Amino acid sequence: MAIPNMRIPSRQLFIDGEWREPVKKNRLPVINPATEEIIGDIPASTAEDVDIAVKAARRALGRNDWGSTTGAQRAKYLRAIAAKVLEKRPELATLETIDNGKPWFEAASDIDDVVACFEYYADLAEALDSKSKTEVKLHLDSFKTHVYKEPLGVVGLITPWNYPLLMTTWKVAPALAAGCAAVLKPSELASITSLELGEICREVGLPPGALNILTGLGHEAGSPLVSHPDVDKIAFTGSGPTGIKIMTAAAQLVKPVTLELGGKSPLVVFDDIPNIDIAVEWTLFGCFWTNGQICSATSRLIIQDTIASQFLDRLLEWTKNIKISDPLEEDCKLGPVISRGQYEKVLKLISTAKNEGATILYGGERPQHLKKGYYIQPTIITDVDTSMEIWKEEVFGPVLCVKTFKTEEEAIELANDTKYGLGAAILSKDLERCERFTKAFQSGIVWINCSQPCFWQPPWGGKKRSGFGRELGEWSLENYLNIKQVTQYVSDEPWAFYKSPSKL
């Protein structure tokens, strides 16, 4: 395994199938969050580079080597990408870890999911060939209608830093499967593996311009991509405030968007859970996985008062047993958050909660044995009021807040007491109760007797301020398809809407 301060591959922007220096030749430092050391740099693109990349994508749509491909032909490229990612799994996982800070085994698991995702969308690309033209039955025999599913066009893909290569794949794989040409702008806080995807695409011979990758700051690269008149759609995963800006800019051109934004998901635990340790582990996993930096994190524990004391005692024992270390160390279960800015934000939210009267039951500080890196202890906060910021706002760090309830009605009210609506979970052996809560939760995802499992086959997305549209499964492929109605008049009789002029 690579050492923590290894330097990253030096890359340029990936445009039109080639590595290209940014027009303004600027670069951004890459900081390892575990050591706070600069380990390399990435190119910083600007509006000029965005324009070049969009033009390359538009040309790709007009060429036979990409724009006229069948789903089966595109599937071959997707499977080749999957095979190359698998071949480079150890290297990619290490790059992900030193760039993002997540434990290496988590990063390696993400790479496995990347492989599976590309293979899954290869299958869907092949299946698309038989579904691209569908007849629609009409009530009039004088007409025939069919519907074409065709690539939407040039799509802009903007991805976050918590699952760098995996979130990139969630968008790139279905976009390419649909036959679109894409311009990807990954987060400037974690771009390394997205750039390595460019090298993989070059190695497998993906047609030039089908995928272009621009790293850089949001206001310098992301904003010009969103507002570019030749970009047909934007798919964004990230923060709510940025999502609002993207939606506003896209509206000026009536450009469709899909938004997967933040969350403040509830985990409701009833006193009939058959095994307290199983419930405790799902509680930890739901909030502390990926260093707590998950948009769907079940960071609001809502527990029945009859077992609250016993449950919290056991939760503390499990939490104290979590290994916090350099994420490249074996059996690390909690690494650093992504950046100094995020580190300071999380600590400030914890401090504010304490000042507002909440109790820091555990954690809330830097681990004493780690003097460098953006590490924060897993934190459990009790005596929380629903008016507190820690209850209302997304923390995006290893912080769990706790409230108790007496009745189902109270639990549902607490669960839905949020402007977000991404995920929600319930732990109970009463499956009829679980079904009631499934219907009552105001969310796009529900977990029953678990929290945070994610698969590439079902849809992923939320409601309310967690955004709209769905990633993954067949639903994601639909994001990148245009539905075209074609109607033909097949009668030999005149339409006879207008009166015929007299014959001479």
Side-chain angles (χ1 to χ4, degrees), residues 169-240:
T169 301
W170 280 22
K171 289 177 170 52
V172 168
L176 294 183
C180 292
V183 180
L184 168 69
K185 210 300 278 186
S187 168
E188 62 272 19
L189 293 178
S191 298
I192 300 174
T193 51
S194 293
L195 285 172
E196 292 309 293
L197 178 61
E199 178 62 13
I200 287 170
C201 289
R202 191 190 65 80
E203 290 176 1
V204 304
L206 185 72
L211 176 62
N212 307 274
I213 304 172
L214 306 177
T215 53
L217 300 173
H219 67 281
E220 293 183 349
S223 293
L225 180 61
V226 172
S227 59
H228 199 290
D230 284 334
V231 173
D232 299 301
K233 176 192 171 65
I234 295 293
F236 170 75
T237 298
S239 72

Side-chain angles (χ1 to χ4, degrees), residues 8 22 55 71-72 101 124 151 169 276 306 348 388 466 499:
I8 65 174
K55 287 177 178 175
L124 290 191
T169 301
I276 195 168
T306 48
K348 183 178 179 181
M388 291 180 180
S466 289
K499 184 177 180 180

Side-chain angles (χ1 to χ4, degrees), residues 2-8 32 35 37-39 98 326 328:
I3 57 174
N5 61 353
M6 69 172 285
R7 290 192 64 83
I8 65 174
N32 182 345
T35 64
E37 296 176 354
I38 295 176
I39 55 174
I98 64 174
D326 186 291
L328 288 172

Side-chain angles (χ1 to χ4, degrees), residues 95-161:
L95 290 173
E96 201 82 296
T97 294
I98 64 174
D99 193 21
N100 166 276
K102 66 171 56 187
W104 189 90
F105 87 95
E106 289 188 31
S109 177
D110 288 353
I111 303 305
D112 292 337
D113 282 354
V114 167
V115 173
C117 231
F118 272 109
E119 292 176 340
Y120 175 76
Y121 282 104
D123 292 342
L124 290 191
E126 284 182 333
L128 193 59
D129 286 339
S130 63
K131 300 176 182 178
S132 61
K133 182 179 179 181
T134 306
E135 183 181 354
V136 179
K137 295 294 184 181
L138 301 177
H139 65 291
L140 295 176
D141 294 335
S142 53
F143 293 91
K144 286 186 177 180
T145 292
H146 62 269
V147 169
Y148 274 127
K149 290 184 177 182
E150 60 185 13
L152 193 58
V154 174
V155 294
L157 313 176
I158 303 177
T159 55
W161 44 260

Side-chain angles (χ1 to χ4, degrees), residues 327 381 438 485 491:
I381 302 178
T438 294
Q485 178 209 133
S491 173

